[in-house]
Amino acid sequence: KNQVEQSPQSLIILEGKNCTLQCNYTVSPFSNLRWYKQDTGRGPVSLTIMTFSENTKSNGRYTATLDADTKQSSLHITASQLSDSASYICVVSAPRGSTLGRLYFGRGTQLTVWP
Amino acid sequence: SQTIHQWPATLVQPVGSPLSLECTVEGTSNPNLYWYRQAAGRGLQLLFYSVGIGQISSEVPQNLSASRPQDRQFILSSKKLLLSDSGFYLCALQPGTRGAEAFFGQGTRLTVV
């Protein structure tokens, strides 16, 4: 069964600290993996997107890693800010044109940054 | 660039009333379209996805239905709302390009009273 599991479910850190969020998936075949940030009451916004051939991708203070062999990804946030408080969602997609052709969402990690 | 329009932003409906949420997209053709629901404090739950006009796949049995009358229009409906239908509904699109990024609407906050 195609699934995306994220951990931890929630996380509280102090401003300025680093944190790492985890994503494990069983989606096969695999096209790409994305991390989204969702502020409360808003739609998710893309942070990074990686194909199976990419191991690391950075977007400012956000760095995503991907191990396609073990089907694991992580999102590392450096020097956290209060505005980083949000839900972070891992999304895995199957190749378009396959019988799947759809997105698989994790349930998200709720990050809270305290001053 | 692709844009996605979803309305209304908020909606309060009585139990037993009908529902129609509309999502339209621009700047792309033949996209994959999705309806998600997010209950308070929970992750995104896939309700329906569509790979083309008239093609709807349902992920979970429920009180809702979806239709795609046009390539860039995706509608979420219910004949009679239940209290449990309350939640945050998101429309998403994946453009017709292999490996393309997914885009989300701003969501509809539905409260059934």
Side-chain angles (χ1 to χ4, degrees):
Chain A
K1 183 178 179 181
N2 291 310
Q3 289 184 313
V4 179
E5 300 288 342
Q6 290 188 244
S7 62
Q9 185 175 12
S10 61
L11 181 63
I12 300 174
I13 62 174
L14 294 177
E15 186 179 14
K17 298 296 185 181
N18 303 335
C19 68
T20 300
L21 314 179
Q22 300 291 340
C23 173
N24 297 335
Y25 62 94
T26 60
V27 177
S28 182
F30 164 84
S31 178
N32 58 60
L33 184 146
R34 313 143 193 206
W35 283 93
Y36 284 82
K37 177 185 178 185
Q38 184 181 21
D39 293 314
T40 301
R42 306 295 298 275
V45 175
S46 177
L47 294 176
T48 66
I49 178 170
M50 291 188 294
T51 65
F52 68 92
S53 61
E54 297 176 293
N55 300 119
T56 303
K57 182 164 283 189
S58 293
N59 178 4
R61 294 181 296 103
Y62 300 101
T63 299
T65 65
L66 173 64
D67 186 334
D69 292 330
T70 62
K71 298 186 177 181
Q72 296 179 326
S73 176
S74 65
L75 180 68
H76 187 74
I77 304 175
T78 305
S80 61
Q81 300 175 359
L82 298 179
S83 60
D84 292 332
S85 295
S87 177
Y88 291 84
I89 304 170
C90 176
V91 182
V92 179
S93 68
R96 186 168 174 93
S98 68
T99 55
L100 300 172
R102 50 161 289 189
L103 305 175
Y104 296 86
F105 282 71
R107 286 188 167 271
T109 292
Q110 183 63 48
L111 175 65
T112 304
V113 181
W114 284 2
Chain B
S1 62
Q2 300 87 7
T3 57
I4 183 167
H5 303 282
Q6 188 180 341
W7 68 90
T10 59
L11 189 60
V12 180
Q13 292 282 99
V15 169
S17 63
L19 172 74
S20 181
L21 301 181
E22 188 163 344
C23 172
T24 60
V25 303
E26 297 176 354
T28 185
S29 60
N30 195 29
N32 280 359
L33 296 174
Y34 306 83
W35 276 112
Y36 290 89
R37 177 171 59 202
Q38 189 174 38
R42 303 291 298 278
L44 288 164
Q45 178 188 31
L46 177 63
L47 301 176
F48 301 96
Y49 71 98
S50 171
V51 299
I53 296 173
Q55 301 178 62
I56 309 293
S57 295
S58 175
E59 285 297 297
V60 295
Q62 58 203 313
N63 184 43
L64 302 167
S65 62
S67 62
R68 187 167 176 178
Q70 302 179 42
D71 181 47
R72 301 175 188 180
Q73 184 183 32
F74 202 25
I75 299 172
L76 183 68
S77 305
S78 174
K79 293 182 179 178
K80 291 184 178 181
L81 284 170
L82 305 173
L83 289 175
S84 58
D85 291 326
S86 294
F88 189 56
Y89 289 83
L90 281 163
C91 178
L93 81 88
Q94 185 178 16
T97 303
R98 182 179 293 275
E101 177 182 341
F103 299 88
F104 289 84
Q106 286 303 301
T108 295
R109 173 70 59 191
L110 171 65
T111 304
V112 182
V113 297

